[in-house]
Amino acid sequence: MSRFFTAGDSSSESSSSDEEELYSEEEVEQKSEAESSDAEEAGSDDEESSSSDEEGGKSGVSKFLRDAASSEGESSDSDTPKVVKSAKDKRLEELEGVIKLIDNAEKINDWSSISTEFDKLNRQVVKIAAADKAPKAYIKTVADLEDFMNETIARQKVSTKKMNATNAKGLNAMKQKIKRNNKDYAAEIDKYREDKFDYMMSDEEEEVPVEKVKRPKTTYVDGIDGGDDEGFSTVGRGGKTLQYTPESIFKHLRSIVESRGKKNTDRAEQIRVMERLFEVATTPYQKIRVLLTLISTRFDLTTGSSTTFMSQDQWKMAENEFATLLEVLEENRSMIVLENAEEWEDDEKPPQPAPGERLRIPGSVVSIIERLDDELTRSLQHIDPHTAEYIERLSDEQALYTNIVRGLLYIEEIKKDFKLDTPQESANRIVMRRPSQVVNILEETAWKSVPTQLDSKITPRGQAQDIASLVQILCAYLFENSTDIIRGRAYLCQVYFCALHDQYYRARDMLLMSHLQETIGNFDISTQILFNRTLVQVGLCAFRAGLVYDSQNTLQEICGSGRQKELLAQGVMIQRYSQVTPEQERLERQRQLPFHMHINLELLECVYLTCSMLLEIPLLAQTGSSPDIKKRIISKTYRRLLEFHERQIFTGPPENTRDHVMQASRALAAGEWKKAAELINSIKIWELMAQPGKIKAMLSEQIQEEGLRTYLFTYAPFYDTLAVSTLASMFELSERKVAAIISKMISHEELAAALDQVNSAIIFRKGVELSRLQSLALTLSDKASGLIEANERTLEQRTQGTANAFERQGGQGGRGGRGGRGGRGGTRGDRGGARTRGGQQFGGGALGGAIKA
């Protein structure tokens, strides 16, 4: 029995007995169980209220009546019919909701919200539109939105109050979106604007009930082209089987081209469709059109996605398809691919060229080559260079170089036909890709894969054996036929090649004659990076040739800045307080060079510091022994490192390249040239250079010579005569070499001495050099005179050139010439007043008087 029947009085008990006769025992048990579970879920508050003594007799009845009322409400709800809406009606309601939001945003001129809701509106219209016809509410909205946008732009032009940044950004975005979107609905928008009321009222008349047709699933179709080996075919909208035939190729291509750049486009599916289209293509024209679109779509896979570079599989497929395209073009000379060709609009029949004319197909062979090169470089930038994947990816350069050579042959073939008016820039852009990648093995392998009947006029087939002449021909061709950036890059490539192959004097002369160092600031950043790399290679070439001064002078600009990584595009240096935007940082990372093209920065620093050591240590010794010589600094970077090293209390054994050079500098300054040579030669970085033994021998010889110069500068004041043989034995040099070094020092007036060739000795001249006290006195007088001039310039600026600014009438109370103040004796004032009037009367005060006395 239910618990709320027993909780009441006697009348409720009698009624409960009548109720029990209507139910079977099982039903009563089920009902009691259900109600007991409901009571348990009622909560502690209901149980406490129902257990009160005062309302105990009424709680059961009230609960019963309440349950009955609720059951009646439920029955009444179930009696009313439910409204079932179709998916189309629901989408229309959502569309109306978005339109209402756009209207509200228009009222408050919130273009940021309008831009967001407009994107939602377009996404919903794609789902609603049937038979390529958009709802009229949508047409009304986009038309009114365009008018409102034009009114807003017109108001902004004459208004003094400008929009905030967010609104202006939303308005600019909407300007592009509406312009692009309304092209597709131009006819409907024109109808709406002709008569807005009739256009919206005719909406109901055009609605025709359409029977709902179930969308058939993928079905088995027997005997239809386009299916795979198992007999299955792709089924499109409406249950129609998609058939790929030669006649439908151009329609499929047009739909793919029109969907490029749109959101929610499945590019992988488009690539699969075009691969099927290429299989069914029969004519060369169809194959060329399909291949051009297919390669472009593969490049689109990386745009707008999270991937930063093209995958190796996709790149190889694009490279193979480009090779196939070149083969088809080589076999069919009557068809050419040109950038300025007109698009053929008729998809039903292919174009027919006039007699004697070639069929022009719009496309760009040069752009495909450049994109393949750029994608390979981008992938090498992002792959870890210390893995096998990087080496494997690097092997694709051979296929790329082969395509560059074949592309150049094709452009040369097109340029033979003067009717085509092929721009010279196309050939220049392809030729420019070759000097940066010319390697002997690449050139030989590329010509082996090219058909024997093809040859180049710019670089004949037999020219591949001599890489130096090949680079010379390519750069000379670009220098003659191009201008500005391409010409400058070609020149830099040739200088780089010469410096890399130890032709220092030729590379130096070419770089100086080009005057690029004066105009390099006007070039783009990639060309500036190439200039910096070329400059570094010229400096390293001078070092290998033993020209220490030239090497240090060339590397000074790059290495002295402390930004070698950034200037050579080998890393991004993010400083603590730099104001670099994320966009600038992204562009900086895109310009980075692949790892295999890096110049070793540790080797570069070692060369620069070694050259600075060989120049700075003798200069420090010379200025230390002769203070009258004006101090000059060759390398501020080296001086700073040397001062930091000398301030250290304890110096342990050298651990890196910099420590080796600093300790060698201290040894060389102390006259221990053997220790300095040993420290320099023990640097392991020299093994990375060609012929390291020759480099170490050259360095030892340079250290011996600079050690001799340092010794003479340091100890010349303590000698009257010095035998050449003594110096030769000290520094293990021949007497002839020592005599040559001393003669050079005497001729440059670095050493106050004479060379006695009869007795083979050096005779030092005394009395020429000033003593320490005299040098300090001269220094003090120079500084004092400089202070006087500074005071006079300051006075002239403050008085604006007035000569007698501090003099009073009668010569008293003012300042007179050198003298003191006016009230302290007229003699000094008279003495000063006797000076010629005019000019500056202030003589530097007490300090000036003391110095001039």
Side-chain angles (χ1 to χ4, degrees):
M1 185 182 296
S2 179
R3 65 181 174 85
F4 57 76
F5 290 124
T6 59
D9 52 6
S10 60
S11 61
S12 65
E13 290 179 359
S14 62
S15 61
S16 65
S17 63
D18 295 335
E19 292 284 336
E20 287 179 359
E21 295 176 358
L22 299 174
Y23 295 98
S24 63
E25 293 181 1
E26 295 178 358
E27 290 174 345
V28 172
E29 290 175 1
Q30 293 175 359
K31 190 172 182 180
S32 63
E33 290 175 1
E35 290 174 351
S36 64
S37 64
D38 292 339
E40 290 174 1
E41 294 174 359
S44 60
D45 296 337
D46 295 336
E47 289 177 0
E48 290 176 1
S49 62
S50 62
S51 63
S52 62
D53 296 332
E54 295 177 358
E55 298 176 0
K58 297 180 181 180
S59 62
V61 177
S62 61
K63 187 174 180 74
F64 173 73
L65 294 174
R66 185 168 61 249
D67 290 343
S70 63
S71 64
E72 288 177 2
E74 291 175 359
S75 63
S76 64
D77 292 341
S78 61
D79 293 340
T80 59
K82 293 182 179 180
V83 179
V84 179
K85 295 181 180 180
S86 64
K88 183 177 180 181
D89 293 338
K90 290 181 181 178
R91 288 171 181 166
L92 285 173
E93 285 185 1
E94 294 175 359
L95 185 71
E96 292 173 358
V98 176
I99 291 173
K100 188 175 181 181
L101 291 175
I102 292 177
D103 292 339
N104 293 336
E106 287 181 4
K107 293 176 183 178
I108 61 175
N109 203 25
D110 186 1
W111 283 100
S112 178
S113 301
I114 291 174
S115 177
T116 306
E117 299 300 330
F118 186 74
D119 293 336
K120 293 181 183 177
L121 187 70
N122 285 332
R123 287 196 293 270
Q124 289 178 353
V125 166
V126 173
K127 301 175 184 178
I128 296 174
D132 297 330
K133 192 170 183 181
K136 294 194 174 182
Y138 174 76
I139 299 297
K140 175 182 180 299
T141 303
V142 295
D144 294 344
L145 191 57
E146 184 177 7
D147 297 338
F148 179 68
M149 181 193 71
N150 293 331
E151 292 174 5
T152 305
I153 294 173
R155 285 198 304 267
Q156 283 296 314
K157 288 182 179 178
V158 297
S159 175
T160 56
K161 186 179 180 182
K162 299 298 181 182
M163 284 186 175
N164 57 35
T166 307
N167 252 4
K169 186 177 180 182
L171 179 60
N172 291 331
M174 283 301 300
K175 195 186 303 182
Q176 301 296 328
K177 291 177 184 177
I178 290 178
K179 183 179 179 181
R180 186 168 56 247
N181 182 75
N182 287 11
K183 287 181 181 179
D184 300 334
Y185 308 103
E188 293 292 325
I189 292 174
D190 293 340
K191 290 180 183 178
Y192 168 74
R193 285 175 174 164
E194 287 176 3
D195 194 342
K196 299 181 179 180
F197 183 75
D198 291 344
Y199 181 83
M200 298 305 295
M201 291 301 293
S202 63
D203 193 9
E204 298 177 358
E205 300 175 3
E206 294 181 0
E207 289 185 357
V208 180
V210 181
E211 295 182 2
K212 188 176 181 180
V213 181
K214 292 183 178 180
R215 182 180 294 177
K217 298 179 180 179
T218 304
T219 55
Y220 178 78
V221 183
D222 192 8
I224 296 179
D225 293 338
D228 54 11
D229 297 337
E230 298 179 358
F232 290 94
S233 300
T234 306
V235 178
R237 292 182 178 179
K240 294 182 180 180
T241 305
L242 294 177
Q243 298 184 17
Y244 301 116
T245 60
E247 292 77 14
S248 65
I249 285 177
F250 300 122
K251 292 182 179 179
H252 289 295
L253 288 180
R254 182 167 295 278
S255 64
I256 290 171
V257 170
E258 290 176 352
S259 65
R260 282 187 70 183
K262 293 185 178 180
K263 293 183 178 180
N264 302 324
T265 302
D266 190 356
R267 296 188 180 94
E269 179 62 28
Q270 290 181 348
I271 289 174
R272 286 192 291 269
V273 170
M274 282 188 285
E275 288 174 347
R276 297 291 301 277
L277 292 176
F278 182 72
E279 293 175 1
V280 301
T282 55
T283 63
Y285 177 74
Q286 291 175 347
K287 292 181 179 179
I288 293 171
R289 286 284 303 274
V290 172
L291 285 172
L292 287 172
T293 311
L294 178 56
I295 295 171
S296 301
T297 308
R298 289 197 191 278
F299 289 142
D300 288 345
L301 286 174
T302 56
T303 57
S305 62
S306 59
T307 56
T308 54
F309 61 94
M310 199 173 181
S311 65
Q312 185 175 7
D313 296 335
Q314 291 292 337
W315 189 91
K316 285 187 175 180
M317 290 179 184
E319 185 270 326
N320 292 329
E321 287 155 1
F322 179 67
T324 306
L325 174 64
L326 291 178
E327 291 176 1
V328 175
L329 291 172
E330 290 166 359
E331 293 171 359
N332 301 273
R333 303 282 182 172
S334 59
M335 299 181 185
I336 56 173
V337 175
L338 290 177
E339 294 183 14
N340 53 4
E342 295 182 1
E343 184 74 30
W344 183 255
E345 301 293 340
D346 192 356
D347 296 336
E348 300 296 332
K349 58 180 180 179
Q352 298 296 329
E357 295 288 336
R358 289 186 176 185
L359 179 58
R360 303 184 182 188
I361 304 171
S364 177
V365 173
V366 181
S367 298
I368 294 175
I369 292 175
E370 290 178 335
R371 188 64 187 272
L372 285 172
D373 191 5
D374 294 339
E375 289 293 342
L376 179 60
T377 302
R378 194 174 292 119
S379 65
L380 290 173
Q381 287 174 349
H382 291 85
I383 297 174
D384 186 2
H386 305 291
T387 58
E389 182 185 2
Y390 189 89
I391 304 300
E392 182 183 358
R393 197 76 180 92
L394 199 58
S395 63
D396 292 333
E397 281 198 344
Q398 178 62 65
L400 174 64
Y401 188 79
T402 303
N403 286 328
I404 291 174
V405 173
R406 296 190 68 176
L408 178 60
L409 296 177
Y410 178 73
I411 295 297
E412 285 186 31
E413 180 65 27
I414 293 178
K415 285 183 65 64
K416 292 179 182 178
D417 193 348
F418 297 103
K419 297 179 182 179
L420 300 176
D421 193 19
T422 308
Q424 178 65 37
E425 185 184 2
S426 300
N428 296 341
R429 284 159 60 190
I430 286 192
V431 173
M432 190 63 244
R433 297 281 167 169
R434 289 184 70 180
S436 58
Q437 301 190 25
V438 167
V439 182
N440 195 7
I441 188 67
L442 291 180
E443 186 74 17
E444 292 178 0
T445 311
W447 281 107
K448 288 178 183 177
S449 59
V450 176
T452 55
Q453 67 270 17
L454 296 177
D455 201 357
S456 172
K457 285 189 175 181
I458 300 175
T459 56
R461 186 184 292 266
Q463 199 70 41
Q465 304 299 325
D466 187 7
I467 297 299
S469 61
L470 177 63
V471 173
Q472 172 68 26
I473 291 171
L474 291 173
C475 295
Y477 176 83
L478 289 173
F479 196 75
E480 292 175 4
N481 297 282
S482 63
T483 56
D484 299 335
I485 293 179
I486 294 183
R487 173 185 289 188
R489 290 184 67 86
Y491 209 88
L492 288 173
C493 285
Q494 189 172 4
V495 174
Y496 192 99
F497 181 85
C498 294
L500 204 59
H501 292 79
D502 293 332
Q503 301 175 18
Y504 169 71
Y505 291 104
R506 184 182 178 191
R508 182 200 63 182
D509 294 343
M510 289 180 64
L511 193 61
L512 293 176
M513 287 189 297
S514 67
H515 298 284
L516 280 173
Q517 60 272 18
E518 300 171 4
T519 59
I520 192 63
N522 301 327
F523 286 80
D524 60 330
I525 296 180
S526 60
T527 307
Q528 293 180 20
I529 292 170
L530 178 59
F531 176 81
N532 294 339
R533 288 170 55 81
T534 304
L535 205 61
V536 167
Q537 285 295 347
V538 172
L540 293 176
C541 181
F543 178 77
R544 292 193 296 268
L547 305 172
V548 174
Y549 178 78
D550 296 335
S551 176
Q552 199 277 340
N553 195 25
T554 307
L555 298 177
Q556 172 68 35
E557 188 174 357
I558 303 295
C559 299
S561 64
R563 298 165 51 225
Q564 295 93 318
K565 277 188 178 180
E566 185 179 351
L567 294 175
L568 299 177
Q570 296 181 189
V572 180
M573 297 180 64
I574 302 177
Q575 298 177 359
R576 181 178 299 177
Y577 301 107
S578 63
Q579 298 178 351
V580 179
T581 62
E583 181 67 19
Q584 291 175 337
E585 185 178 350
R586 184 182 63 83
L587 293 175
E588 187 71 24
R589 293 189 184 279
Q590 286 181 355
R591 288 191 287 264
Q592 300 305 301
L593 294 172
F595 182 76
H596 69 280
M597 297 176 67
H598 284 191
I599 298 173
N600 194 306
L601 296 180
E602 188 179 356
L603 175 63
L604 182 62
E605 183 187 29
C606 183
V607 170
Y608 174 70
L609 292 179
T610 303
C611 294
S612 300
M613 177 193 74
L614 294 173
L615 296 176
E616 284 280 7
I617 296 301
L619 182 62
L620 287 171
Q622 184 181 9
T623 55
S625 61
S626 302
D628 56 320
I629 298 177
K630 187 176 180 181
K631 292 184 178 180
R632 62 188 181 94
I633 298 176
I634 297 176
S635 172
K636 291 183 179 179
T637 306
Y638 174 80
R639 286 283 184 98
R640 187 170 59 250
L641 293 173
L642 185 61
E643 290 173 2
F644 176 77
H645 188 268
E646 288 177 349
R647 283 199 303 267
Q648 291 181 349
I649 299 174
F650 173 76
T651 55
E655 297 179 355
N656 52 29
T657 303
R658 190 175 294 177
D659 291 346
H660 278 85
V661 177
M662 292 301 109
Q663 293 196 16
S665 301
R666 295 185 66 177
L668 186 61
E672 301 176 0
W673 67 269
K674 288 185 178 181
K675 182 180 179 182
E678 182 181 352
L679 285 168
I680 292 294
N681 290 334
S682 63
I683 300 175
K684 297 181 179 179
I685 199 72
W686 302 125
E687 302 297 330
L688 298 180
M689 300 185 76
Q691 301 177 345
K694 183 179 178 182
I695 297 295
K696 292 179 181 179
M698 180 269 295
L699 287 173
S700 299
E701 184 179 352
Q702 291 284 345
I703 290 172
Q704 283 176 308
E705 295 178 6
E706 298 304 326
L708 173 60
R709 285 165 48 82
T710 304
Y711 183 83
L712 289 174
F713 283 135
T714 305
Y715 298 105
F718 305 98
Y719 282 101
D720 289 331
T721 59
L722 184 61
V724 173
S725 59
T726 305
L727 292 174
S729 61
M730 287 174 62
F731 293 95
E732 297 182 2
L733 292 170
S734 63
E735 293 186 7
R736 185 175 181 180
K737 184 69 174 177
V738 172
I741 294 172
I742 294 172
S743 300
K744 189 175 181 180
M745 294 174 67
I746 294 172
S747 65
H748 290 172
E749 297 182 357
E750 296 175 344
L751 189 65
L755 183 62
D756 186 358
Q757 296 182 349
V758 177
N759 298 320
S760 185
I762 309 171
I763 303 173
F764 295 94
R765 294 200 297 269
K766 296 296 181 181
V768 178
E769 296 180 355
L770 300 175
S771 65
R772 186 72 174 173
L773 180 60
Q774 291 173 332
S775 300
L776 292 175
L778 286 174
T779 304
L780 177 61
S781 65
D782 290 340
K783 290 183 178 180
S785 61
L787 181 62
I788 292 170
E789 292 176 1
N791 287 344
E792 291 177 349
R793 280 196 300 268
T794 304
L795 178 64
E796 186 176 3
Q797 289 175 0
R798 292 189 176 184
T799 59
Q800 297 182 354
T802 305
N804 304 323
F806 291 95
E807 290 196 359
R808 297 178 181 176
Q809 295 293 333
Q812 294 184 0
R815 296 185 183 182
R818 304 181 189 174
R821 303 176 186 268
R824 297 181 58 187
T827 56
R828 301 179 71 181
D830 293 338
R831 186 173 54 187
R835 294 180 61 188
T836 305
R837 295 296 180 185
Q840 297 175 354
Q841 302 300 318
F842 182 69
L847 181 61
I851 292 174
K852 292 180 180 179

